[in-house]
Amino acid sequence: MRDLPRRSLLLAVAASLATPGRIVRAADVPRFGLGVASGTPTAQGVVLWTRLTGDELPAEVPVQWELAHDEAFTRIAARGTETARADEAHSVHAEPRGLEPARGYWYRFQALGQRSATGRTRTAPGPGDEVRRFTFATASCQRYEHGHYAAWRDVAGSPPDLVLFLGDYIYEYAANPRALRTTHGGRTEDLPAYRQRYADYKADPHLQAAHATAPWILIWDDHEAENDYAGLLGERRQPNFEAQRAAAYRAWWEHQPVPRAMKPVGPDARIHGSLDWGRLARIVTLDDRQYRDAQVCPRPGRPGGSAFPMLADCPQLLEPARTLLGREQEAWLAGQWSREHRWNLLAQQTLMARCSRTAPWVEGKRAGQYWTDGWDGYPGARERLLRGMIEARAAGPVVLGGDVHGNFVADLKVDYDDERGAVVASEFCGTSITSDGGPQRLVDELRPHNPHLHHARVDERGTTRFVLEPGRLQAELRVVEDPKRADSPVRSGGRYAVEQAKPGVQRA
Ligand SMILES: [Fe+2]
């Protein structure tokens, strides 16, 4: 906003000749109040995002964008103009192409006499590139009322090459005026309400800083639409859920740095996909919500949603045909596993390792108590996924997740009942940015029943920071000391490592 006073004066004078008194005010209202973001990088391009803010925006606003090799914007790599339209919440999805692989760039926008903050982004390496080192962070579950975003401040302070956001970017619940900080409005069910909720979240300066510092890849989980929904079934089985999902998906697209091609059609949008980070890693992203079968055995008196039944009371859990990803996505995933890359990173929403609250085997019979919304609610589908991964001989498989509001580091097995059964993959299910976790005591009690868990802490908030090299993955749990404070220190909550040639997690 350096040369703005003179510039906006000129604009104001020009505008007042055409529409007296109107744009004069427009120049004073922040037009880039939700920051800037970039994402969905490829070797040739990246998506640049912003959304214009403030009242009295015309139905269509031309927005100039530029991408440069340097922070001073003296060496421009690409520039263009996009139209921000009222029917897309004045969002901008600019897609420069023909960029160089594995390069850092700076970008910014200009509209209505104002200039946005400058963002940093990065393209992916070329398909055949040998990459020696790739840094990324995973994050999920940033319930606004539950805390401040010190975790994002920490990410912005040492930017990774890529941020993987694994779901629950917003929460749909009605604003709580007694909370630490509060959003606007009731439970989000229509497009204006979802748009307002994203605007509330995206006003946060630390979240904006994290977006402006690295490209993101985002997938959604349930709360971007509604808690525990399954396919076209709302948790409350409300008759209008299809329209609600359409509004939720539309608002998600409007507010994230994802391509125009991802724009939903009605209640449908494809967000699963894959990205190769040179020859080092294939990153596969999944959608565990849109195509899933409904959770079995809901709580008594409730039409849907998740529960913690005993297996003995809910034998339906074991029905092998039930699916979390849907048949089509399952088949697609089976063809994504790579032998040509050193690592296969599976970026999905929730905990994959079995996590029984009680003994999983009693008097010679399968038993246990399981959460029905995660992979434990779809054990047949989990087994199909892992067997497909083994059959494809996927190299260096690592599963990344979120959703459970706790740090869970685990070894993945096809058969958890076979204590000597092979470890087939490693899992880092990261904790929430802010969303409260359950009681740690419950997790401590279930540890003996789940010896494949190396770390299980629901009393930690933060992100996970990874360094990936051809032979080794290192993970550091970044833990916020006090999520109620924006200036909270952030410390290491533990370091783990995986050797490329040997699935399974070690302490580092
Ligand atoms: Fe969550």
Side-chain angles (χ1 to χ4, degrees):
M1 302 239 260
R2 278 140 240 164
D3 56 346
L4 273 192
R6 190 167 150 262
R7 196 184 167 77
S8 34
L9 183 66
L10 288 174
L11 272 175
V13 169
S16 65
L17 297 172
T19 47
R22 211 178 139 95
I23 314 278
V24 177
R25 182 139 49 99
D28 302 328
V29 180
R31 293 307 184 187
F32 296 99
L34 302 183
V36 300
S38 74
T40 328
T42 64
Q44 306 88 33
V46 65
V47 179
L48 310 178
W49 174 93
T50 193
R51 175 189 164 189
L52 301 181
T53 49
D55 297 332
E56 296 184 30
L57 282 170
E60 296 193 348
V61 184
V63 180
Q64 284 92 42
W65 57 268
E66 49 188 354
L67 183 85
H69 294 284
D70 62 320
E71 196 171 6
F73 289 84
T74 58
R75 291 173 55 224
I76 299 295
R79 56 160 54 108
T81 301
E82 293 287 318
T83 303
R85 295 185 169 84
D87 75 344
E88 293 178 351
H90 290 99
S91 62
V92 177
H93 300 77
E95 297 180 52
R97 290 177 223 275
L99 305 182
E100 294 166 40
R103 282 294 158 96
Y105 291 94
W106 281 263
Y107 64 95
R108 63 189 180 189
F109 300 89
Q110 197 165 305
L112 299 168
Q114 294 186 20
R115 184 176 281 165
S116 73
T118 294
R120 265 219 88 175
T121 191
R122 188 167 189 84
T123 49
D129 290 1
E130 293 293 347
V131 178
R132 290 182 187 288
R133 185 183 154 93
F134 165 43
T135 60
F136 63 97
T138 59
S140 61
C141 299
Q142 49 177 359
R143 189 157 174 184
Y144 189 85
E145 298 95 320
H146 286 184
H148 286 284
Y149 292 157
W152 286 130
R153 197 196 73 233
D154 182 57
V155 169
S158 44
D161 297 330
L162 184 70
V163 173
L164 290 167
F165 190 86
L166 303 177
D168 291 356
Y169 191 97
I170 57 162
Y171 282 72
E172 80 280 16
Y173 301 116
N176 173 6
R178 289 186 306 279
L180 174 76
R181 55 179 182 161
T182 184
T183 55
H184 294 85
R187 179 191 271 271
T188 55
E189 289 176 327
D190 59 17
L191 189 52
Y194 282 112
R195 283 172 172 167
Q196 178 62 51
R197 192 58 55 95
Y198 278 99
D200 289 341
Y201 276 60
K202 281 181 171 281
D204 183 277
H206 294 321
L207 177 59
Q208 288 187 13
H211 271 298
T213 213
W216 289 32
I217 289 179
L218 297 111
I219 49 177
W220 58 45
D221 194 22
D222 52 342
H223 288 286
E224 282 89 349
E226 177 178 283
N227 182 53
D228 283 355
Y229 80 92
L232 282 170
L233 298 172
E235 185 186 16
R236 299 160 289 154
R237 299 295 188 264
Q238 60 271 44
N240 59 347
F241 185 70
E242 189 167 331
Q244 183 182 337
R245 193 177 96 172
Y249 286 7
R250 171 64 176 251
W252 179 86
W253 175 81
E254 287 173 349
H255 289 85
Q256 303 299 11
V258 294
R260 288 206 74 83
M262 252 193 217
K263 186 175 174 178
V265 177
D268 304 314
R270 176 172 168 153
I271 64 163
H272 61 284
S274 74
L275 165 69
D276 291 344
W277 205 265
R279 287 166 55 90
L280 181 66
R282 169 161 292 176
I283 304 166
V284 175
T285 47
L286 298 184
D287 179 347
D288 78 332
R289 283 289 154 193
Q290 193 173 178
Y291 316 106
R292 69 157 71 191
D293 288 328
Q295 302 88 343
V296 289
C297 311
R299 274 165 245 199
R302 296 215 191 162
S306 64
F308 284 94
M310 302 295 290
L311 181 59
D313 301 328
C314 185
Q316 303 96 302
L317 268 175
L318 299 182
E319 280 170 16
R322 297 181 62 254
T323 174
L324 187 67
L325 302 176
R327 289 286 164 199
E328 254 179 64
Q329 190 181 189
E330 275 193 24
W332 168 85
L333 173 61
Q336 291 300 308
W337 300 113
S338 172
R339 268 178 258 172
E340 278 70 53
H341 297 78
R342 295 229 164 68
W343 298 90
N344 284 265
L345 305 178
L346 187 65
Q348 51 86 58
Q349 286 81 4
T350 190
L351 181 66
M352 190 171 284
R354 191 191 67 186
C355 188
S356 179
R357 284 186 167 184
T358 61
W361 200 255
V362 175
E363 293 172 359
K365 280 191 184 159
R366 288 183 78 170
Q369 183 185 14
Y370 300 99
W371 185 46
T372 57
D373 193 60
W375 285 101
D376 273 340
Y378 303 78
R382 172 172 59 199
E383 189 175 327
R384 278 196 297 282
L385 185 152
L386 292 173
R387 287 200 190 283
M389 185 191 82
I390 294 165
E391 274 164 32
R393 289 191 277 137
V398 177
V399 174
L400 307 169
D403 180 41
V404 294
H405 306 181
N407 277 319
F408 287 77
V409 178
D411 292 338
L412 292 177
K413 292 175 159 193
V414 176
D415 183 0
Y416 288 98
D417 294 323
D418 178 359
E419 278 197 12
R420 283 168 300 174
V423 173
V424 298
S426 316
E427 176 171 30
F428 294 89
C429 185
T431 193
S432 53
I433 292 285
T434 47
S435 307
D436 290 344
Q440 181 61 31
R441 178 185 54 79
L442 278 183
V443 174
D444 292 339
E445 286 168 9
L446 63 77
R447 289 289 292 272
H449 304 306
N450 303 279
H452 48 277
L453 298 178
H454 294 275
H455 186 111
R457 296 221 63 109
V458 292
D459 55 354
E460 294 172 345
R461 309 275 77 80
T463 63
T464 310
R465 189 184 283 173
F466 295 88
V467 178
L468 188 66
E469 295 168 342
R472 189 175 161 91
L473 172 74
Q474 295 174 74
E476 183 186 5
L477 311 179
R478 298 292 300 167
V479 174
V480 174
E481 282 186 5
D482 182 358
K484 309 292 182 209
R485 280 174 45 197
D487 63 350
S488 167
V490 180
R491 61 175 169 85
S492 175
R495 287 190 171 84
Y496 294 89
V498 178
E499 300 299 328
Q500 191 273 344
K502 188 174 178 295
V505 181
Q506 304 150 25
R507 260 202 182 275

